[in-house]
Amino acid sequence: MKNNHLTKNIINQTKTIFLKFCYFSLLILLISCKTDTTKKEDLSEKNKTEIEVKKDEQTTLKRIVFFGDSLTAGYGLDDLEDAFPSLIQNKIDSLGLGYSVVNSGISGETTAGGKNRIDWVLNQKPDIFILELGANDGLRGVPLSETKKNLQYMIDAVQKKYPETKILLAGMQIPPNFGQEYTSEFKNIFPTLAKKNNIALIPFLLENVGGVPSLNQADGIHPTKKGHQILANNVWEVLKTVLK
């Protein structure tokens, strides 16, 4: 009987110890879960804050829209980050200026094509609008009056919708394939429009690049990576004067 009584005590003590162990294990688990949940909530709140900050940064950045053809689009380059609009973004970032570049270049674009999509592009709400179109018109022998009319239409569209937007017009020149008179008049379209509309002019986008074989791709028209670096400098010389 004494042994049975002793055995029962041992069993009861064992049960008590086991129950205490289970209780503490459950308590630790609950605390752990609560801590993990708190961490997740903190992390979620942190991520939410970071996203909101990024959104705020994006909305506070002013926008530069490059509206052009294959030159703007970076045709033929292995990496579009080597196109001159991206190089301009790099320059802006290095100087800590609050601008974001939007590349709206399409290869093969003419002034007629630009006229048709100008309203859609203006949804970008540009603070600075860089108009780089006309080269394909010249290479195709489009009547000069049509090219000039289309460029004026796009300038008017920007100024009407966003009167405070600053416009830069990229000047272009073409080889004398269609005769000296056509070539000369084509070249004069850009400074004439710039003066008429009181907008900034990049005298010749392809300055020191056009006609230089080592700075152009095999087609002799589209700049290489090094050529785009020069284009970026040509644009920057004018763009920097209107940035605030």
Side-chain angles (χ1 to χ4, degrees), residues 160-172:
K160 181 180 179 180
K161 191 166 186 177
Y162 304 111
E164 300 302 317
T165 294
K166 298 175 182 177
I167 303 175
L168 276 68
L169 180 62
M172 289 301 303

Side-chain angles (χ1 to χ4, degrees), residues 74-77 213 215-224 228:
Y75 175 86
L77 297 176
L215 296 175
N216 287 277
Q217 299 172 41
D219 60 13
I221 297 175
H222 297 96
T224 60
H228 271 272

Side-chain angles (χ1 to χ4, degrees), residues 31-150:
I31 293 173
S32 176
C33 289
K34 185 177 180 180
T35 302
D36 185 57
T37 300
T38 303
K39 286 181 179 179
K40 287 181 179 179
E41 290 176 351
D42 290 343
L43 183 59
S44 177
E45 190 64 30
K46 180 182 178 183
N47 290 338
K48 182 179 178 181
T49 301
E50 289 177 351
I51 290 172
E52 289 175 348
V53 168
K54 288 180 180 179
K55 285 183 178 179
D56 289 341
E57 289 176 350
Q58 290 175 350
T59 56
T60 56
L61 287 177
K62 293 184 178 180
R63 188 174 287 114
I64 302 174
V65 173
F66 282 83
F67 188 56
D69 50 36
S70 56
L71 296 175
T72 293
Y75 175 86
L77 297 176
D78 293 331
D79 189 345
L80 294 183
E81 293 300 312
D82 293 325
F84 76 86
S86 292
L87 300 180
I88 293 293
Q89 180 70 76
N90 294 341
K91 181 72 172 179
I92 287 171
D93 292 344
S94 69
L95 295 173
L97 302 176
Y99 286 89
S100 176
V101 167
V102 177
N103 189 331
S104 290
I106 294 181
S107 294
E109 186 77 292
T110 61
T111 58
K115 177 182 175 181
N116 290 333
R117 68 184 179 102
I118 184 67
D119 289 337
W120 178 81
V121 170
L122 288 181
N123 290 328
Q124 300 286 345
K125 298 181 181 180
D127 295 281
I128 297 176
F129 188 85
I130 300 178
L131 180 55
E132 182 274 302
L133 284 173
N136 287 320
D137 290 45
L139 294 174
R140 298 177 186 184
V142 173
L144 297 171
S145 58
E146 183 178 334
T147 297
K148 188 174 182 179
K149 182 180 178 181
N150 290 338

